[in-house]
Amino acid sequence: MKKTLLSLLLLSSAIFASANSEIPRPEYPRPQFERTEWINLNGTWSYEFDFSQSGLERSLFKSKGFDRPITVPFCPESPLSGVNHKDFINAMWYHRKISIPQNWDGKRILLNFGGVDYKSTIYLNGEEIFVHYGGSSSFAIDITAYVKAGSENDLIVYVQDDLRSQLQTAGKQSRRLYSYSCLYTRVTGIWQTVWLEAVSKGGLKLCRITPDLDNKQFVFEPVFYDLDLNATFKVRVLDNGKEVYSQKVPASDNAFISAKIKNIKTWSPESPFLYDIEFSVLDAEGNTIDKVKSYAGMRKVELRGKTFYLNNEPYYQRLVLDQGYYPDGQWTAPDDEQLKKDIILAKEAGFNGARLHQKVFEQRYFYWADKLGYLTWGESASWGMDWTSPLAARNMITEWEECVARDYNATSLVAWSPLNETWKEDIDGQRARLTNDLYFITKRLDRTRPVVSASGGYHAGFTDIYAEHTYVQDPIELYKQLSLDENGYPYIHHPNFSAPYKGEAYMIDEFGGIQWIKEMKTAEVAGTDEFWGYGKPPRTIEEFYKRLEEQVNVVLSMDHITGFCYTQIVDVELEKNGIYTYDRNLKFDMERIRKIFSKSREQAKLEVAKMLSERNAR
């Protein structure tokens, strides 16, 4: 009876989706590597929780369907999944039928997962075909040998998510039953798009794109599935539809294409110009056997001394902390428009970028940052992990490598930050070893971007940007804290546990966090158990604006600080210190907010001098 009811539910859902053309998150999930032959597998799947983890003994991998429906790609903890289960889920099973089109015969068939938290074992028709570790990294499986064109197949995904083990990345997921302070509802299982894709056997696997502004060229590094001595690889670069570069080379993993561009146009937050790019693989007769759409921006980021440069000009980063949580989808935005809206809201508040915090954001977020002109920092979901455990370190390194490789081409991404606040006493040097390993691995994978080894303290010895956090609320005390000491050294939160400052670029990449709830007229009416933030809340809205402006003025006025990151863009669950509410509605007069965060450093220095003078006169 249960199976029959489920079948009716699935059929009704399929008919409804077909009639309304409503597949959740229907857009192509990988905008810098887009093909036309693909099938979105989002929508209604069936699932079963496996709290006793007996599913393998019960042969659930052979299932033809489970008893309850779930909407993918939303995690079961989210309302949008249709499940909304808030307790711990150590294991669960997913099922859906997948049909392989007849015209895919003779092609390589790929099964792609944008993100599954944490360990996922993939079965087709009862046979285990792949195991992946890592809740944040994307992965693809070549299923050509397991399916036939025109066939229908049973796809099973077995998920294991032992959050409390401290052996896996978790980000801001709570290890208690309920959310508390700055730790939030958990994310289990599939949380990004799942899709099928057909590719020629000799198709393009990937292509790294490196902008070289000084030489006015893009450097392309292709990698192919099967190498054919007679095949060629073609690159076209277009400026608003007009071809500005084209070249063909042998289709080889040893191929490098240096595409010189005349009258080069640069990318920046103020002018986010993107070139369209077409990759093609041609057979011996010149027929196109694979075609991929892409894009790239011409931009250069580097540190010169203690200053951040964009396109060979000093550039002050005015970042905001973005944790990428949504009240109805948890880690998953309800739709593509919401990703775009989040960036627009931040830019309207006066920020030119975001530190993407304790979550590896999906590729479509980077797409909108590229399109709209918005700097981003890439960060892992490192919290919840025991940084002193060698097994946890192994899990972390593998996942991080996959994330860096995946997002290398993102134009907006200007810095990597693998760790955040590793505030735990070291054991046998394991924390320091992991921190330094991640720094050098990231530099080897990407020499074009600076690396912040451990944001907010416990730097282990190597970092390109010395990034510190402070939530001192009083502006005078903040000024004293952030001023250089008598020896010319900046503020270090944990000097006994961090490597000495050696003259690196210096940023305050967390500060502020001022509590304010939109509905209350004064903070005194709210109990401490009802919301959370840093410091004592302001008593009135005018006190909020004054504290905010004076804090921002202090940070802007310091010549040794090359940029800031304010906490945060939206409220998240109990944490009520966002510029906007959790559902992305207004809390403040945005014209005042924008003027504060976009203020010139010269003006900030004048206002800080006035503030100090007035305080001294009292």
Side-chain angles (χ1 to χ4, degrees):
M1 180 67 180
K2 288 182 179 179
K3 297 289 185 184
T4 304
L5 178 60
L6 177 65
S7 298
L8 289 173
L9 284 170
L10 296 178
L11 179 60
S12 301
S13 176
I15 293 172
F16 178 82
S18 175
N20 294 274
S21 299
E22 290 184 356
I23 296 176
R25 300 302 306 270
E27 61 283 344
Y28 191 81
R30 195 176 54 199
Q32 274 191 299
F33 205 79
E34 183 173 353
R35 288 190 174 94
T36 56
E37 285 193 283
W38 72 291
I39 298 173
N40 193 322
L41 298 181
N42 292 344
T44 303
W45 295 43
S46 64
Y47 80 97
E48 180 173 320
F49 290 140
D50 190 5
F51 300 119
S52 64
Q53 298 190 50
S54 62
L56 287 171
E57 294 179 63
R58 291 183 285 133
S59 299
L60 294 187
F61 52 87
K62 296 179 180 179
S63 174
K64 303 296 181 180
F66 299 113
D67 290 342
R68 289 177 284 183
I70 183 172
T71 300
V72 168
F74 304 108
C75 68
E77 292 88 349
S78 70
L80 284 174
S81 71
V83 179
N84 205 20
H85 182 92
K86 301 298 186 183
D87 208 337
F88 287 87
I89 307 169
N90 283 346
M92 67 179 294
W93 297 77
Y94 291 84
H95 172 274
R96 73 156 286 162
K97 298 282 188 181
I98 59 171
S99 297
I100 309 301
Q102 186 64 54
N103 63 357
W104 285 12
D105 188 30
K107 294 190 176 182
R108 185 183 303 275
I109 300 169
L110 302 178
L111 174 61
N112 298 277
F113 291 86
V116 185
D117 193 9
Y118 170 76
K119 179 185 176 183
S120 49
T121 306
I122 314 301
Y123 299 85
L124 267 178
N125 303 319
E127 182 178 357
E128 180 182 320
I129 64 169
F130 194 79
V131 179
H132 180 263
Y133 295 82
S136 297
S137 52
S138 304
F139 59 99
I141 311 165
D142 185 341
I143 63 171
T144 313
Y146 302 96
V147 296
K148 294 181 180 180
S151 67
E152 185 178 70
N153 305 270
D154 290 289
L155 170 62
I156 297 282
V157 179
Y158 174 41
V159 170
Q160 294 167 278
D161 188 17
D162 190 1
L163 187 73
R164 285 170 161 166
S165 71
Q166 298 188 67
L167 297 176
Q168 63 185 62
T169 56
K172 290 297 192 76
Q173 299 180 61
S174 175
R175 281 186 286 157
R176 299 182 190 173
L177 176 57
Y178 300 110
S179 303
Y180 67 99
S181 67
C182 63
L183 294 167
Y184 321 122
T185 300
R186 287 169 292 281
V187 175
T188 301
I190 299 171
W191 66 277
Q192 289 187 46
T193 293
V194 186
W195 76 103
L196 286 169
E197 194 164 27
V199 184
S200 168
K201 293 291 182 68
L204 184 64
K205 189 172 186 179
L206 60 91
C207 187
R208 278 172 48 119
I209 307 172
T210 305
D212 180 0
L213 176 61
D214 294 334
N215 290 304
K216 300 179 181 179
Q217 64 182 6
F218 288 107
V219 178
F220 300 103
E221 302 173 59
V223 177
F224 302 89
Y225 284 104
D226 292 335
L227 295 177
D228 183 342
L229 292 176
N230 297 313
T232 56
F233 175 59
K234 182 179 179 181
V235 175
R236 294 180 70 220
V237 182
L238 300 101
D239 176 346
N240 291 314
K242 180 182 178 182
E243 183 178 281
V244 294
Y245 180 85
S246 179
Q247 186 179 357
K248 287 194 296 185
V249 298
S252 166
D253 290 350
N254 291 309
F256 290 82
I257 294 179
S258 298
K260 293 278 188 180
I261 309 296
K262 294 181 180 179
N263 304 315
I264 201 78
K265 296 179 181 178
T266 58
W267 180 96
S268 69
E270 293 72 30
S271 180
F273 179 81
L274 295 171
Y275 289 92
D276 291 316
I277 298 169
E278 291 180 1
F279 299 127
S280 301
V281 181
L282 312 177
D283 64 16
E285 287 74 38
N287 301 309
T288 300
I289 61 172
D290 192 19
K291 191 169 187 176
V292 176
K293 289 173 57 181
S294 187
Y295 69 85
M298 180 59 68
R299 66 99 184 90
K300 175 185 178 184
V301 295
E302 67 178 346
L303 299 169
R304 297 184 185 176
K306 301 177 183 179
T307 303
F308 178 85
Y309 276 72
L310 176 65
N311 300 335
N312 294 322
E313 297 290 338
Y315 196 91
Y316 195 85
Q317 297 184 75
R318 300 167 187 261
L319 309 181
V320 67
L321 198 77
D322 190 337
Q323 306 198 73
Y325 268 81
Y326 301 89
D328 48 1
Q330 301 312 126
W331 269 3
T332 312
D335 52 47
D336 193 51
E337 191 63 27
Q338 187 62 65
L339 296 173
K340 178 181 178 182
K341 181 181 178 182
D342 283 357
I343 295 170
I344 292 173
L345 290 175
K347 288 174 72 75
E348 288 177 347
F351 301 106
N352 57 26
R355 178 174 164 232
L356 307 179
H357 184 50
Q358 283 305 289
K359 172 190 164 184
V360 178
F361 281 49
E362 62 175 282
Q363 288 175 284
R364 289 207 65 90
Y365 181 94
F366 289 111
Y367 166 75
W368 285 116
D370 297 343
K371 292 278 287 185
L372 297 171
Y374 191 65
L375 305 179
T376 58
W377 282 27
E379 183 175 318
S380 80
S382 62
W383 268 24
M385 191 186 73
D386 180 0
W387 295 291
T388 66
S389 163
L391 178 54
R394 177 184 177 180
N395 290 338
M396 164 83 186
I397 288 171
T398 302
E399 182 176 350
W400 179 244
E401 286 180 319
E402 292 176 350
C403 294
V404 173
R406 190 200 75 175
D407 295 331
Y408 177 88
N409 289 350
T411 300
S412 60
L413 205 158
V414 298
W416 296 110
S417 184
L419 296 170
N420 174 73
E421 293 182 354
T422 53
W423 295 347
K424 182 175 182 178
E425 186 176 353
D426 211 342
I427 298 175
D428 297 330
Q430 291 298 322
R431 178 184 58 77
R433 180 184 180 187
L434 172 63
T435 305
N436 290 332
D437 281 349
L438 288 168
Y439 172 81
F440 286 111
I441 287 168
T442 308
K443 295 298 284 187
R444 284 192 290 270
L445 289 170
D446 182 1
R447 64 186 183 85
T448 70
R449 294 175 174 96
V451 176
V452 183
S453 61
S455 176
Y458 280 39
H459 294 288
F462 300 94
T463 189
D464 297 330
I465 298 175
Y466 208 103
E468 286 289 356
H469 302 169
T470 176
Y471 286 104
V472 170
Q473 295 294 301
D474 179 76
I476 295 295
E477 293 304 311
L478 183 64
Y479 178 84
K480 293 177 181 177
Q481 181 190 65
L482 296 183
S483 296
L484 296 174
D485 67 16
E486 61 275 10
N487 297 313
Y489 289 100
Y491 156 75
I492 298 175
H493 185 49
H494 287 291
N496 294 332
F497 296 98
S498 294
Y501 175 73
K502 300 185 290 291
E504 299 94 342
Y506 183 86
M507 282 187 67
I508 297 299
D509 68 341
E510 278 188 39
F511 81 105
I514 305 171
Q515 304 176 57
W516 189 261
I517 293 180
K518 177 183 177 182
E519 291 76 16
M520 67 186 186
K521 295 181 180 179
T522 73
E524 294 172 330
V525 302
T528 56
D529 293 334
E530 296 179 33
F531 70 97
W532 184 88
Y534 293 94
K536 186 176 180 180
R539 291 167 295 180
T540 66
I541 187 66
E542 285 303 318
E543 185 179 321
F544 173 89
Y545 287 124
K546 185 174 187 294
R547 187 191 300 183
L548 174 67
E549 185 162 19
E550 289 181 339
Q551 283 190 18
V552 173
N553 284 344
V554 167
V555 175
L556 284 171
S557 71
M558 303 282 184
D559 288 333
H560 64 282
I561 298 176
T562 192
F564 68 71
C565 178
Y566 180 82
T567 302
Q568 61 180 323
I569 188 59
V570 299
D571 297 338
V572 182
E573 299 190 354
L574 295 176
E575 192 170 357
K576 304 296 185 182
N577 50 23
I579 298 298
Y580 298 94
T581 64
Y582 194 18
D583 56 2
R584 277 64 173 172
N585 286 320
L586 294 178
K587 289 173 68 175
F588 306 109
D589 178 343
M590 292 312 297
E591 185 59 31
R592 287 184 76 169
I593 294 293
R594 180 179 179 83
K595 286 181 179 178
I596 290 171
F597 285 113
S598 59
K599 183 181 298 184
S600 72
R601 302 186 74 183
E602 291 72 21
Q603 182 62 31
K605 289 178 182 179
L606 293 174
E607 293 182 22
V608 167
K610 181 181 178 182
M611 177 187 72
L612 295 173
S613 177
E614 289 175 349
R615 292 286 184 101
N616 290 333
R618 291 176 185 175

